[in-house]
Amino acid sequence: MEKGINLEKFNKPYDPKEVEGKIYKLWEESGFFNPDNLPAGKVKSQKLKVKSFCIIMPPPNANGSLHLGHAVFAALQDLMIRYHRMKGDKTLWLPGADHAGFETQVVYDKKLEKEGRSRFQIPRDQLYKEIMEFTLANKKVMENQLRKLGASCDWSREKFTLDEDIVSKTQDAFIELHKQGLVYRGERSVNWCVKHQTGLSDLEVLHEERKDPLYYIKYGPITLATVRLETKFGDTAIAVHPSDKRYKKFIGQEVEIITLFGKTKIKVIADKAVDPKFGTGAVKVTPAHDPADFEIWQRHKNEIPKPPAVIDKYGRLDLLAHFPYNEKAKKYHGLKVLEARKIIAEDMQKEGLMEKVDNDYSHNVSVCYKCKHILEPRITAQWFIKTKPLADPAIEAVKRGEIKFIPDRFKKIYFHWLKNIRDWNISRQIVWGIQIPAWQCQDCQSWAIAKEKPLNCDQCQKSNLELDKDVFDTWFSSGQWPFLALGWPDKNDFKKYYPTSVMETGWDILFFWVARMIMLGLWRAKKVPFKYVYLHGLVRDKERQKMSKSKGNVIDPLGVIDLYGADALRMALVVGNTPGNDPIIYEEKIKGYRNFANKIWQASRFVLTNTQDFNDKAKPKSTAADKKRLKELKKLCKDITKQIESFKFYAAAENLYHYFWHTFCDKIIEESKSRLSGENKADRQAAQYLLLEILKTNLRLFHPFMPHITEAIWSHIPDNKNLLMVEEWPS
Ligand SMILES: [Zn+2]
Ligand SMILES: [Zn+2]
Ligand SMILES: [Zn+2]
């Protein structure tokens, strides 16, 4: 960039479109995004020991464009990164991209649907290849979008969750967990999405309130209430609360009941999980199709037979295998759950098996967080991680203060979740993800855990082994991201930057991601993955509404950057954005900071054109008022530094904004005008000195918040030696 003041350029209003791209190129070519190229020990006091500062960027899902949420993290993280770089720390911001398993599969499913195709008809290898191409193309787009935001991350260190080394080490972790007895293959009731044809983890389940008929059905002498009439063919018992006097005499007995399929017997058991206030206090137990019933079965295995699965993976009744000679079974077989429910209700009414129906019953149902289909609990075999042995150290580390939460209140939520954590289902029945290194013997069904196909089965010695078709839950690899991205166990970066300094991310993935990174980081890398967790909220519009396509209130970050510049967007995302709370953003707010950028531009032009003859060798004869202003400036530096250090970025941004506009522009510049045009040369020099000092200091202070415009103006400062991005921070 040319030096000296180009008045012609300065005379026009600030045009971010013309400036920002060029500035980014300048930064990227300087090599300073890479901490290895930073001038070490530039600051005197740090000559001996250079501190390091590292943020691992939450790898965005490479399945679409960046949205405003990504812009929030880019603004906050780049702010910290630029601040620490200027302070002289070895500063690394490591970018990445996430293959985002199920999430990407869902996006790709939609694309296929539009093309009239289905993933269930595409050969595995081809599907994987297609999604890989799709993901890599998106990854490229995302990288350029991050550049547009001004992200000063080290692209030379960028990692992708499907990089060979990441895949290999993720599989190693599974093998090691298995060796330590922390992985097991379990038949469990899992949340099954009939649309997506995969099991989900508890975290991927949404609970929605629905109104459904509650049926009171007669089971011999006992009446019980249920919504899920269609699962009755899978009933294995009637359960009551042990201290429920109404049913005391039945407990442990078999009662004779009449069902749609004729007479049969069923056992009455007592379990504390039964709520005596629900319905009649008696419930049917259907372990194959209800997670709570599955738990009851686990506790009463010697009393209850193995439950039949009467609903298949497509959510249809599957009865013929269990009731091959029954005419009614034929009638219901193959019906979808809700159709079946209606018909069964009618038939039971007709046969006098229904006592009454409560049509006004509200309850919570579990739905897929992606497609909102009601989830079908199914007993399937999946790989589980025993989480308790991992969760306990994760609780202890935070208790010891090795990790601090910003804001602190999230600590409580974190503890609560980890204390009640359940084993983690890490199998996903999709193609897109990291292959689980498990082989099943086709002769004796036993499993071998290994990357390479074992020659023989351990158990039966035959050599008929097949690779598991499932892949890992995407959070299993991203849960190991900080240490894997840094090249654990032997890369220098890992030794230098782990534990990292700050993990900055949305509070909505506190459990999905943050807690798991802490658990897996402690287990694998033996240290916490980061010292601070900064959690930001969910972007909302002026009416505090979530942004969504259907509401039409979505702000596209790239669109507003085009209109108002990345600096304006970044300021708008930082001001008013307190940790843990939802930031409010709307177009006028961004526009306001575009106007502010203009104000900075004009003020800088005024100062630079009026100081061209300033002699920086001569000692200025500052007045008492000048000295007061300089003292005030020093205090500003102290305040801003303190606010950034304590994660009060919103306060620092607002502080700077008000100082620049209402103190510097409205007062100091105004007051200087007569001195600049006056006869007193020494006083003119003093005024010039004051203006230049304040401008230069403000450019530095503003740089982490509005990096492009400050760098652009800095290039016109006559005696600048460095890019502003590596100038010394004024503390
Ligand atoms: Zn679904
Ligand atoms: Zn075998
Ligand atoms: Zn003000």
Side-chain angles (χ1 to χ4, degrees):
M1 188 148 290
E2 70 275 40
K3 283 207 172 177
I5 314 163
N6 183 335
L7 275 179
E8 203 194 318
K9 240 183 220 170
F10 248 129
N11 272 331
K12 287 186 286 182
Y14 176 59
D15 181 9
K17 235 178 164 170
E18 137 115 40
V19 172
E20 290 184 346
K22 281 188 205 156
I23 293 284
Y24 193 87
K25 210 164 154 246
L26 206 65
W27 290 331
E28 208 171 353
E29 284 167 3
S30 78
F32 291 139
F33 291 172
N34 180 343
D36 301 336
N37 299 331
L38 286 175
K42 190 161 51 78
V43 182
K44 263 186 214 147
S45 59
Q46 288 177 341
K47 238 177 199 157
L48 289 174
K49 194 169 182 291
V50 180
K51 282 196 253 173
S52 64
F53 183 85
C54 174
I55 295 179
I56 305 288
M57 179 190 293
N61 296 347
N63 55 28
S65 293
L66 294 190
H67 53 69
L68 215 47
H70 296 112
V72 171
F73 89 55
L76 294 174
Q77 290 171 33
D78 196 43
L79 188 168
M80 289 186 258
I81 288 292
R82 287 181 184 273
Y83 163 74
H84 281 274
R85 193 184 286 124
M86 289 176 81
K87 270 186 57 186
D89 297 344
K90 279 274 178 206
T91 301
L92 170 62
W93 189 15
L94 194 149
D98 198 333
H99 71 282
F102 181 55
E103 294 270 338
T104 299
Q105 181 80 66
V106 170
V107 173
Y108 202 74
D109 279 358
K110 279 190 192 148
K111 184 177 176 288
L112 288 173
E113 219 170 280
K114 268 188 205 149
E115 297 165 3
R117 301 157 73 206
S118 155
R119 80 165 131 116
F120 303 109
Q121 285 147 12
I122 303 173
R124 241 182 123 79
D125 292 348
Q126 189 198 326
L127 182 61
Y128 188 90
K129 238 180 90 191
E130 277 188 31
I131 304 180
M132 181 61 100
E133 273 167 30
F134 172 76
T135 302
L136 291 179
N138 279 313
K139 184 169 162 283
K140 264 257 138 53
V141 172
M142 269 172 23
E143 287 159 8
N144 286 323
Q145 292 176 330
L146 278 167
R147 285 185 169 92
K148 286 214 154 172
L149 281 158
S152 63
C153 47
D154 182 5
W155 294 109
S156 73
R157 281 174 163 89
E158 190 189 13
K159 293 299 287 177
F160 176 42
T161 49
L162 292 184
D163 283 346
E164 228 173 279
D165 59 319
I166 304 283
V167 169
S168 169
K169 286 173 190 174
T170 301
Q171 292 176 330
D172 286 342
F174 177 78
I175 294 169
E176 182 59 29
L177 281 165
H178 184 261
K179 257 191 214 150
Q180 296 182 12
L182 295 174
V183 155
Y184 63 92
R185 180 111 183 134
E187 293 230 314
R188 288 286 179 281
S189 179
V190 300
N191 311 295
W192 182 267
C193 177
V194 295
K195 175 176 162 72
H196 287 119
Q197 289 293 301
T198 181
L200 301 172
S201 79
D202 292 338
L203 286 178
E204 289 158 330
V205 176
L206 292 181
H207 301 279
E208 277 184 3
E209 194 173 302
R210 296 269 170 101
K211 220 180 213 179
D212 280 306
L214 181 65
Y215 302 102
Y216 286 75
I217 61 177
K218 289 185 215 159
Y219 263 14
I222 296 173
T223 296
L224 52 82
T226 181
V227 169
R228 300 215 55 189
L229 212 49
E230 71 284 359
T231 63
K232 69 190 291 304
F233 308 114
D235 289 350
T236 55
I238 296 171
V240 298
H241 193 273
S243 55
D244 194 330
K245 290 203 182 85
R246 292 170 289 182
Y247 304 109
K248 202 119 209 173
K249 61 177 181 224
F250 296 114
I251 292 172
Q253 308 291 314
E254 280 199 327
V255 294
E256 202 177 75
I257 63 173
I258 298 169
T259 76
L260 286 173
F261 293 172
K263 259 188 203 165
T264 183
K265 279 182 173 171
I266 194 163
K267 186 137 191 198
V268 181
I269 59 167
D271 194 284
K272 280 189 181 139
V274 179
D275 175 8
K277 289 193 202 84
F278 171 78
T280 60
V283 293
K284 63 197 203 58
V285 183
T286 322
H289 302 291
D290 185 295
D293 292 1
F294 180 86
E295 301 285 329
I296 292 181
W297 176 44
Q298 298 301 301
R299 292 191 285 270
H300 300 267
K301 268 200 158 156
N302 46 4
E303 289 175 274
I304 304 182
K306 187 174 162 50
V310 294
I311 294 168
D312 68 10
K313 62 180 180 173
Y314 304 107
R316 292 176 183 277
L317 258 65
D318 186 11
L319 299 175
L320 290 183
H322 310 293
F323 308 96
Y325 309 111
N326 193 296
E327 277 308 306
K328 281 233 180 69
K330 247 184 230 163
K331 176 178 173 187
Y332 307 135
H333 183 85
L335 290 179
K336 282 198 164 177
V337 161
L338 291 180
E339 306 168 321
R341 190 179 296 173
K342 254 174 85 184
I343 296 172
I344 292 166
E346 285 164 14
D347 288 355
M348 287 182 77
Q349 298 269 22
K350 272 185 226 152
E351 300 196 15
L353 300 173
M354 183 86 70
E355 194 174 291
K356 61 172 179 178
V357 182
D358 174 2
N359 279 310
D360 204 27
Y361 176 62
S362 289
H363 66 142
N364 277 326
V365 295
S366 302
V367 300
C368 169
Y369 80 120
K370 276 284 152 201
C371 67
K372 307 280 155 69
H373 272 77
I374 295 185
L375 291 167
E376 221 20 92
R378 290 184 72 226
I379 300 178
T380 55
Q382 315 255 355
W383 294 106
F384 286 84
I385 292 183
K386 281 187 197 164
T387 40
K388 189 125 186 43
L390 301 175
D392 289 342
I395 293 172
E396 288 311 311
V398 173
K399 272 194 184 155
R400 280 195 304 270
E402 284 172 37
I403 300 174
K404 292 188 176 66
F405 281 81
I406 318 285
D408 190 56
R409 67 170 191 270
F410 282 99
K411 211 164 66 182
K412 251 194 188 158
I413 307 172
Y414 168 86
F415 286 143
H416 181 81
W417 188 69
L418 282 182
K419 277 177 190 156
N420 296 289
I421 195 168
R422 310 211 327 196
D423 286 353
W424 176 12
N425 168 16
I426 54 165
S427 305
R428 290 295 178 279
Q429 290 70 48
I430 53 175
V431 166
W432 185 237
I434 297 177
Q435 175 65 53
I436 298 178
W439 307 79
Q440 187 169 34
C441 172
Q442 300 304 298
D443 290 307
C444 75
Q445 309 306 315
S446 71
W447 286 91
I449 306 299
K451 270 187 189 161
E452 303 286 325
K453 184 176 183 169
L455 288 175
N456 298 307
C457 166
D458 261 1
Q459 304 298 315
C460 71
Q461 313 310 323
K462 294 205 181 111
S463 57
N464 190 10
L465 288 118
E466 245 176 51
L467 187 59
D468 190 0
K469 289 211 167 46
D470 294 351
V471 301
F472 288 124
D473 177 1
T474 193
W475 299 100
F476 182 61
S477 47
S478 45
Q480 305 177 56
W481 193 238
F483 62 89
L484 289 186
L486 285 170
W488 173 88
D490 40 25
K491 273 243 180 89
N492 251 339
D493 277 357
F494 173 73
K495 290 170 191 159
K496 218 190 240 166
Y497 296 109
Y498 193 91
T500 64
S501 312
V502 181
M503 171 48 63
E504 195 286 324
T505 189
W507 63 257
D508 53 322
I509 50 176
L510 176 61
F511 306 138
F512 273 110
W513 197 38
V514 178
R516 284 159 174 174
M517 279 191 287
I518 299 174
M519 290 196 292
L520 291 170
L522 281 165
W523 169 74
R524 195 64 159 155
K526 307 293 174 222
K527 276 184 202 160
V528 292
F530 27 73
K531 294 168 202 146
Y532 288 92
V533 177
Y534 179 105
L535 297 167
H536 64 249
L538 220 71
V539 186
R540 287 174 189 272
D541 72 5
K542 217 174 180 175
E543 276 76 46
R544 304 196 157 262
Q545 303 255 22
K546 277 190 203 172
M547 291 191 182
S548 71
K549 272 188 199 144
S550 54
K551 280 190 208 124
N553 60 352
V554 176
I555 293 179
D556 165 29
L558 281 307
V560 288
I561 286 177
D562 231 29
L563 285 171
Y564 309 116
D567 290 344
L569 172 62
R570 291 173 55 146
M571 267 302 266
L573 290 171
V574 172
V575 173
N577 186 356
T578 53
N581 297 319
D582 294 344
I584 308 291
I585 187 113
Y586 44 94
E587 198 165 336
E588 302 93 276
K589 187 177 178 188
I590 304 166
K591 208 166 156 185
Y593 289 106
R594 193 268 320 264
N595 297 343
F596 178 58
N598 239 329
K599 186 82 183 169
I600 298 180
W601 192 250
Q602 287 163 4
S604 303
R605 177 179 60 211
F606 177 85
V607 173
L608 291 174
T609 47
N610 281 291
T611 53
Q612 274 173 311
D613 62 336
F614 176 67
N615 176 5
D616 58 359
K617 305 285 178 304
K619 203 172 176 323
K621 292 199 168 57
S622 298
T623 64
D626 290 348
K627 283 177 187 155
K628 219 176 120 196
R629 288 299 187 196
L630 290 168
K631 230 173 132 183
E632 180 184 63
L633 181 67
K634 223 169 168 68
K635 182 169 181 305
L636 177 73
C637 295
K638 281 221 157 65
D639 289 348
I640 300 298
T641 305
K642 218 166 138 191
Q643 281 160 340
I644 293 180
E645 291 280 350
S646 55
F647 299 95
K648 291 179 180 139
F649 311 126
Y650 60 97
E654 204 146 356
N655 229 341
L656 275 173
Y657 173 89
H658 283 296
Y659 175 83
F660 195 90
W661 196 302
H662 301 119
T663 302
F664 186 44
C665 295
D666 290 356
K667 296 199 185 110
I668 301 174
I669 288 186
E670 284 310 313
E671 287 161 9
S672 75
K673 284 184 176 163
S674 60
R675 296 170 75 191
L676 289 170
S677 57
E679 294 297 308
N680 186 340
K681 248 193 149 180
D683 192 46
R684 177 177 151 80
Q685 278 270 334
Q688 285 178 323
Y689 172 76
L690 181 69
L691 291 179
L692 269 174
E693 274 306 298
I694 296 179
L695 177 65
K696 286 197 284 188
T697 304
N698 269 269
L699 290 175
R700 290 172 209 241
L701 292 174
F702 261 117
H703 182 69
F705 300 86
M706 305 180 81
H708 303 90
I709 188 173
T710 48
E711 187 76 78
I713 296 169
W714 188 258
S715 71
H716 295 290
I717 299 276
D719 61 344
N720 81 56
K721 293 184 191 73
N722 296 314
L723 283 175
L724 179 57
M725 72 179 286
V726 288
E727 270 293 330
E728 202 174 310
W729 179 258
S731 46

